[in-house]
Amino acid sequence: ADAPMAINIDPTELQNDNLTLLQQEANSLIGAVGVEIECIAKEGFAVDEILQLENEKKPDLIIMGLSAVGAVSEFLLGSIATDVMGKTNTPVIIVPEKASYQPIKKIAFASDYETEIDTDELKTLKHIIKMCNAKLYILNVEKEKEDIEVDKAIQMMKMENHFDDIEHTHHLPIDDDLI
């Protein structure tokens, strides 16, 4: 029987190859959307490296891809994107693996209207909405029809005031099966 063949991978060469691929992708995006892109390829644990880079560069937004993984893998291992989301205060946009770019025309924002609104996060959202000339759909799903509590109404009014200069609607569906 043939013995298994070992493949030696030079981490520096792999990192350089990845950087080259990133730069090629960045060049195509720069031409399409006209934004400045800095490419960085690092060796290490993805979540740690992303959070370290976030600490160094202080980005306004993190955009990550989400690979299709099985439910068992997701449960046991979690995903890099969801792990980063749980460990950062920077807004994160997660893009599904099979998504293709379409101009952003509509943005859905889920709110429980119960927690104090972080105006910095809303400013970021508002900036994205204005850049894209998009419409905002504010969604709050209730388990059952009930009167709106005073605190919740106050949060709704604050959000209404914050978005008063952009096109938006509030949606308050009732659904017994939220999961």
Side-chain angles (χ1 to χ4, degrees):
D2 294 329
M5 184 168 73
I7 299 174
N8 291 328
I9 299 174
D10 178 12
T12 304
E13 185 179 336
L14 181 61
Q15 188 171 332
N16 289 337
D17 289 347
N18 284 335
L19 185 57
T20 300
L21 291 170
L22 281 172
Q23 288 170 329
Q24 289 171 354
E25 188 68 27
N27 290 337
S28 68
L29 287 172
I30 289 169
V33 294
V35 296
E36 182 181 333
I37 299 174
E38 178 182 355
C39 296
I40 300 168
K42 290 187 168 191
E43 179 184 343
F45 293 103
V47 174
D48 296 339
E49 294 299 329
I50 292 166
L51 293 174
Q52 180 181 351
L53 186 65
E54 174 203 21
N55 191 41
E56 292 169 9
K57 300 290 183 177
K58 309 280 190 239
D60 299 315
L61 179 67
I62 298 172
I63 301 174
M64 301 183 67
L66 182 64
S67 299
V69 295
V72 174
S73 300
E74 179 70 23
F75 176 74
L76 294 174
L77 304 174
S79 81
I80 294 168
T82 54
D83 202 8
V84 167
M85 263 185 21
K87 293 180 177 178
T88 183
N89 290 324
T90 302
V92 177
I93 293 178
I94 298 176
V95 180
E97 180 178 28
K98 295 184 180 188
S100 60
Y101 177 75
Q102 299 293 323
I104 298 169
K105 295 178 183 172
K106 300 175 185 177
I107 296 175
F109 176 69
S111 174
D112 62 8
Y113 295 127
E114 292 179 8
T115 55
E116 184 67 29
I117 297 170
D118 183 333
T119 55
D120 287 337
E121 289 177 9
L122 292 181
K123 283 179 188 175
T124 301
L125 175 59
K126 191 173 182 177
H127 180 72
I128 293 169
I129 293 165
K130 285 184 172 186
M131 278 184 6
C132 299
N133 196 28
K135 180 174 180 180
L136 176 64
Y137 296 88
I138 303 169
L139 175 67
N140 174 259
V141 180
E142 294 290 335
K143 290 182 183 179
E144 55 190 48
K145 188 170 178 90
E146 56 186 46
D147 292 333
I148 296 176
E149 297 172 13
V150 173
D151 291 342
K152 196 177 225 183
I154 290 170
Q155 292 305 323
M156 286 177 72
M157 291 304 296
K158 285 182 179 179
M159 193 170 300
E160 182 65 28
N161 290 336
H162 189 80
F163 293 120
D164 66 347
D165 61 336
I166 61 170
E167 185 179 359
H168 67 281
T169 55
H170 292 267
H171 297 268
L172 303 153
I174 299 166
D175 188 350
D176 294 330
D177 184 13
L178 296 175
I179 297 180

